[in-house]
Amino acid sequence: MARALFNASLGYTQTRTLPGLTTNCIGHAFEKETLYSMVPQRIVPEKKNGEILRVEKDLFPGYIFVKTNMNCSKYYFIKSHSKIIRMLNYLNKIDLTYDRPAALRKSRANVTESKEEALCFKKIPDEEMTIILKLLNHDEQIDFSQVYTQDSKVYVESGPLKGLEGIVKKVDKHKRRVKVLVSLMGDERVIDLGIELIEPSV
């Protein structure tokens, strides 16, 4: 099953799902301007039979990202899908320690928003989504970056990691991958991304 990440005010949230669930199973019932869903992917190099292949993998396996102005009607529609495990929210044991006061403050400030909705829909912080969205291309994939190292420093000539060199933690020249550190719902995750190794320009 899969989980869904959601943003309650035209931002992003996350949903957990079963394997094989696509974004279309959620988004088909709504206009794109009303509800937009995606499963971010990364392209990594893998060697098979002596050949280097470009392999697509989910960036966060088992999760769907949803951008919408969430309300109870949409919440229960998405949750009713047979492959949805649950929507990430503020009610489980882990989430009770993560940003719940902010959700409650928001619900008190807006009299039209019930406390039930504020607690059920978990928004991905904007600063986290900004990094993720910057890495993605128009196909919602993270493609290769052109990278070189010099004097123990990592330089990105072009590609999604350009300007985000600070999140690169390790370069594996043999596998043609880098390990990057990203945050999701306050949890730091190390993810492998594909690179093209180049020589530094003179």
Side-chain angles (χ1 to χ4, degrees):
M1 286 194 170
R3 292 163 282 192
L5 296 171
F6 293 87
N7 185 325
S9 56
L10 288 182
Y12 284 87
T13 63
Q14 197 177 41
T15 303
R16 187 173 185 180
T17 68
L18 282 169
L21 184 64
T22 66
T23 57
N24 290 337
C25 69
I26 293 178
H28 75 280
F30 301 94
E31 295 293 333
K32 188 174 181 179
E33 293 76 12
T34 304
L35 186 149
Y36 175 71
S37 58
M38 69 173 179
V39 178
Q41 292 187 315
R42 57 196 173 103
I43 301 175
V44 293
E46 288 191 356
K47 192 171 184 178
K48 187 175 182 180
N49 298 326
E51 183 181 0
I52 302 296
L53 304 177
R54 290 166 52 93
V55 179
E56 298 176 1
K57 294 188 176 184
D58 289 348
L59 186 60
F60 301 104
Y63 289 90
I64 288 179
F65 288 70
V66 179
K67 182 179 182 181
T68 188
N69 188 3
M70 183 61 71
N71 55 39
C72 285
S73 176
K74 291 178 185 174
Y75 174 85
Y76 286 112
F77 171 82
I78 296 170
K79 193 176 179 182
S80 68
H81 195 283
S82 60
K83 287 192 174 183
I84 296 291
I85 296 176
R86 65 184 177 91
M87 314 258 269
L88 297 196
N89 55 55
Y90 294 93
L91 300 180
N92 62 66
K93 185 176 180 180
I94 296 177
D95 294 338
L96 287 175
T97 64
Y98 182 75
D99 205 28
R100 187 182 182 193
L104 289 173
R105 286 196 300 272
K106 181 181 176 183
S107 67
R108 294 191 187 104
N110 187 349
V111 294
T112 63
E113 180 182 32
S114 69
K115 289 184 179 179
E116 178 184 4
E117 289 186 2
L119 291 174
C120 287
F121 316 141
K122 186 169 189 178
K123 176 180 177 180
I124 301 175
D126 291 339
E127 60 271 21
E128 295 181 357
M129 278 309 306
T130 297
I131 299 295
I132 294 171
L133 292 174
K134 189 173 182 180
L135 289 168
L136 298 175
N137 61 21
H138 63 279
D139 293 320
E140 298 168 355
Q141 296 177 327
I142 304 177
D143 210 330
F144 291 4
S145 294
Q146 290 189 317
V147 173
Y148 67 91
T149 60
Q150 192 172 53
D151 299 327
S152 301
K153 292 184 179 180
V154 178
Y155 296 88
V156 181
E157 187 71 22
S158 64
L161 288 172
K162 179 71 172 178
L164 295 173
E165 289 85 352
I167 68 174
V168 177
K169 299 304 174 184
K170 184 179 180 181
V171 177
D172 189 328
K173 294 183 178 180
H174 178 69
K175 292 184 177 180
R176 303 181 188 181
R177 298 186 184 191
V178 292
K179 292 188 180 297
V180 302
L181 185 65
V182 297
S183 293
L184 184 65
M185 310 306 283
D187 180 29
E188 292 189 335
R189 302 174 182 228
V190 176
I191 297 172
D192 280 7
L193 298 181
I195 60 170
E196 178 186 349
L197 288 169
I198 61 173
E199 294 295 327
S201 55
V202 179

